[in-house]
Amino acid sequence: MTDVLIFAPAPLLTVTLEGDHPGGDLHVHSGGQGVWQARMLRTLGRTVTIVGSFTGESGRVVQHLLGDEGIEVHPVVRTGRGPAYVHDRRTGRRTVVAELAGDPLSRHDLDELYAAVLREAMAARIVILSGPADEGILPDDVYRRLAADLRAEGVPVVVDLAGARLEAALAGGVTLAKVSDAELREALEIRGDSVDEVVAAGRRLRDAGARSVVITRAGEPLVLIDGEHARLVHVPRMQEVDPNGAGDSLLAAVVSALAEDRPLLEAIALGAAAGALNVTRHGLGTGDPEAIHRLRARVTIEEVGDDDAQVVTPDQLAARAEVDDR
């Protein structure tokens, strides 16, 4: 049994130029939301399986690179153009040289992919439904169908989606939904940045089909909606090198803890630490597991709207739970 199954519809090939010396260095990796999540899960010691489509020459390279990282792959192999990008970071900032969306999934490919997810989910502790980089790869309704079918089989489902894909997954029902306040703003779910407005949006997502919701806020405390509870999750701010992939690292660390049957608040604290540390690194979805666990001890959680609420660490919350269980 694998710890985590990730639905990654179309992993991409990433080519990045780095370095400040003449010519720089060329880095070739597998990438995309599901891949970056898988990388952090492997960092934290989880076994990971990816189900995805691998298209053309770039797809063959991506599949090989994933195997080198110890990630099990169940591929739907097809001909055509696979998604890829070339970025130049020799100046310290990302400059897009080229971005290729890749070919949409055919009906036959989509049927194969769907069947593979259902088959492999039966041997996983938890499933992440991630999105492709391009909007046109597959229909949004696939997420509703997958969420509903997996939930019917008793498999916990976590999603890191936005817009119409998130709406579709919520209609199927999910265990945990992660979204950013920027994505909520783009979807007109919120207009400002007040905590009350973000909490209200999180509760709407909960009511739409998520048991719990975590909303990231670009360096500000996370908002967690869990049942009737609304909480702020505080983490020390790090000097930022590259913010890309922080949300994927956060979600992956949350899922890593949930796969071990850890309480949600402990899982969120670990995720907050992983996301915070990821911005200090150049590699997306990477991290130092010991540093993540040490920073987790500095994460604090408080109830929203309770002026008398005590700010506590996840370890203190866990200790209280042990006392209550006696």
Side-chain angles (χ1 to χ4, degrees):
M1 171 175 281
T2 190
D3 292 326
V4 183
L5 172 69
I6 300 178
F7 172 55
L12 56 90
L13 180 66
T14 72
V15 180
T16 308
L17 286 164
E18 301 268 10
D20 54 7
H21 57 279
D25 297 316
L26 187 68
H27 297 271
V28 179
H29 296 289
S30 55
Q33 185 184 57
V35 171
W36 296 323
Q37 292 162 348
R39 191 167 289 138
M40 176 54 69
L41 283 160
R42 290 290 297 143
T43 295
L44 294 171
R46 304 282 76 80
T47 56
V48 185
T49 298
I50 281 181
V51 173
S53 65
F54 295 82
T55 308
E57 293 180 359
S58 62
R60 290 195 294 273
V61 175
V62 170
Q63 188 178 343
H64 178 80
L65 292 171
L66 287 171
D68 287 347
E69 293 189 59
I71 298 169
E72 184 177 345
V73 178
H74 290 267
V76 171
V77 177
R78 60 191 187 126
T79 59
R81 298 171 301 172
Y85 72 60
V86 180
H87 288 178
D88 189 341
R89 292 202 317 189
R90 287 174 294 180
T91 64
R93 295 184 178 182
R94 283 186 183 271
T95 301
V96 175
V97 177
E99 291 188 341
L100 307 177
D103 293 332
L105 288 162
S106 69
R107 184 176 66 179
H108 174 72
D109 292 333
L110 187 56
D111 285 346
E112 281 197 47
L113 194 60
Y114 198 96
V117 174
L118 295 182
R119 180 188 69 235
E120 298 306 320
M122 301 304 123
R125 297 182 184 276
I126 191 167
V127 172
I128 298 175
L129 302 182
S130 69
D134 186 73
E135 295 290 335
I137 293 291
L138 77 170
D140 297 328
D141 192 57
V142 170
Y143 291 96
R144 178 194 62 79
R145 293 169 50 210
L146 277 174
D149 287 344
L150 293 171
R151 182 166 57 91
E153 293 301 319
V155 180
V157 177
V158 175
V159 299
D160 186 357
L161 303 167
R165 291 177 190 152
L166 177 57
E167 291 179 10
L170 293 177
V174 302
T175 304
L176 175 68
K178 177 258 176 189
V179 66
S180 72
D181 62 345
E183 290 164 334
L184 292 176
R185 200 169 290 111
E186 184 176 346
L188 302 181
E189 288 289 335
I190 60 174
R191 297 187 181 278
D193 56 4
S194 72
V195 171
D196 288 344
E197 191 174 4
V198 174
V199 167
R203 285 177 169 149
R204 288 195 296 273
L205 296 178
R206 175 203 61 193
D207 295 342
R211 184 183 304 169
S212 303
V213 178
V214 60
I215 301 172
T216 59
R217 301 171 57 228
E220 297 299 319
L222 311 177
V223 170
L224 171 65
I225 306 297
D226 180 32
E228 295 304 313
H229 294 282
R231 297 182 170 96
L232 286 177
V233 182
H234 301 263
V235 64
R237 297 190 67 167
M238 303 285 120
Q239 294 297 306
E240 186 176 287
V241 172
D242 188 348
N244 292 287
D248 297 319
S249 291
L250 181 150
L251 185 82
V254 171
V255 170
S256 175
L258 293 179
E260 289 188 310
D261 296 321
R262 306 305 300 174
L264 178 60
L265 292 185
E266 290 187 39
I268 294 296
L270 187 69
L277 282 170
N278 191 85
V279 305
T280 69
R281 303 173 65 90
H282 290 94
L284 304 186
T286 64
D288 180 295
E290 184 175 353
I292 291 169
H293 283 284
R294 289 188 179 184
L295 184 62
R296 173 191 167 277
R298 297 177 179 271
V299 174
T300 58
I301 300 174
E302 63 174 322
E303 291 276 353
V304 173
D306 186 353
D307 294 336
D308 296 326
Q310 181 182 5
V311 178
V312 296
T313 67
D315 289 335
Q316 289 169 327
L317 288 168
R320 292 180 185 179
E322 290 178 1
V323 171
D324 292 340
D325 290 340
R326 291 175 183 170

